[in-house]
Amino acid sequence: MANTENLTLFLKVIKAVAKQNEHPIPPHLTPLTEGHAFPDSDDPIGMLKEAGQQLTDTQCACLFANVANLNFKDQRKQDRKLFDEAEEALRIDPRDARDVIVAVEIRHQTQQTFRSSEEWDLFCAGLTAMANADGVLEDKEQQYIQQHIPDLKHLEAGQKIVAKKTQTNLGEALGSFSGRQRRCLAAHAIGIMFIDGSWKGSEQEFLELTTKRMHLMQLDLDRLMKGLHSLFNVSVFG
């Protein structure tokens, strides 16, 4: 019963923040909303304080990450005060909050990070390879990629690149990206690893090998993993 109440409170906060920022409910949360009807609220801060008193630490961490995610629109931060208020209300360590916000922001800046067709093709190749690491390209994973690219032609081009290159060669090709591009690709690769609700060893192994070959700093990878795990860790309400 407690988890049902906590999930309802989580969703109320999500709905309030989404409404405030005119932000759609993210795809990874839509399955949770099925069968849950509740009135709108114009007091997200009040509900955040209530959540901080009622939710467990891991549930608070998940809520904070999702509030942070909804507090970006058009690649920009919206209500900057909301980050601080959510951090305090949900008992989030300031360093952890910073890692979450940075990880979420990197994902939201994809359109600014990749510009040319060649960059988008290679970006899609990296994500396609990650999605295929467990031998199955799931619908959620393909939808995730499509959600973040400007044209489906880049996904088709990326799939052709993956078919032609070995994992080693692909990792080296991805190493031609700038540091900002490598971090953005890694953030989305982590998103794909978590989006289907199961974290497979083959996917983590692929991620570690690929990020090593494209010379992503371990510190950057660790911070992205920590921040994005909280975003997708909705199983804490299961």
Side-chain angles (χ1 to χ4, degrees), residues 168-187:
T168 299
N169 290 338
L170 178 59
E172 292 173 351
L174 296 171
S176 66
F177 279 154
S178 68
R180 181 185 183 189
Q181 289 172 329
R182 292 196 294 269
R183 286 189 293 273
C184 187
L185 173 63

Side-chain angles (χ1 to χ4, degrees), residues 50-212:
E50 181 183 352
Q53 295 174 350
Q54 182 170 321
L55 303 187
T56 67
D57 289 346
T58 52
Q59 289 172 339
C60 281
C62 180
L63 178 55
F64 177 81
N66 279 281
V67 167
N69 187 50
L70 290 169
N71 205 25
F72 284 88
K73 187 178 180 183
D74 299 327
Q75 303 159 37
R76 297 179 181 276
K77 294 176 180 176
Q78 296 299 293
D79 183 355
R80 292 177 178 269
K81 189 178 178 182
L82 179 60
F83 291 114
D84 295 332
E85 291 175 323
E87 176 188 318
E88 180 178 357
L90 298 174
R91 316 183 307 273
I92 307 299
D93 181 274
R95 291 169 298 181
D96 292 339
R98 184 169 59 250
D99 286 345
V100 167
I101 293 169
V102 168
V104 167
E105 184 172 22
I106 287 172
R107 289 175 69 246
H108 279 281
Q109 293 182 337
T110 310
Q111 300 291 331
Q112 296 175 339
T113 303
F114 299 93
R115 299 287 189 175
S116 69
S117 289
E118 292 77 13
E119 289 173 348
W120 279 113
D121 292 350
L122 193 53
F123 171 78
C124 287
L127 294 191
T128 298
M130 180 67 196
N132 283 328
D134 59 355
V136 181
L137 177 60
E138 307 221 2
D139 288 343
K140 285 184 180 180
E141 294 170 331
Q142 183 156 326
Q143 290 166 6
Y144 180 99
I145 299 173
Q146 292 173 350
Q147 179 189 352
H148 292 283
I149 61 176
D151 195 304
L152 288 180
K153 69 179 182 181
H154 300 303
L155 178 55
E156 296 171 1
Q159 290 170 335
K160 291 178 181 177
I161 292 173
V162 171
K164 292 178 181 178
K165 290 185 179 293
T166 65
Q167 182 178 336
T168 299
N169 290 338
L170 178 59
E172 292 173 351
L174 296 171
S176 66
F177 279 154
S178 68
R180 181 185 183 189
Q181 289 172 329
R182 292 196 294 269
R183 286 189 293 273
C184 187
L185 173 63
H188 285 291
I190 292 167
I192 285 179
M193 184 169 69
F194 291 137
I195 194 66
D196 61 358
S198 57
W199 180 0
K200 302 180 181 67
S202 57
E203 292 174 325
Q204 184 174 3
E205 181 181 356
F206 177 88
L207 177 67
E208 291 175 350
L209 288 173
T210 301
T211 52
K212 191 172 294 184

Side-chain angles (χ1 to χ4, degrees), residues 8-18 44 47-48 51 63 67:
T8 298
L9 181 54
F10 170 84
L11 293 174
K12 283 182 178 179
V13 177
I14 292 300
K15 188 174 181 181
V17 176
M47 285 191 298
L48 278 168
L63 178 55
V67 167

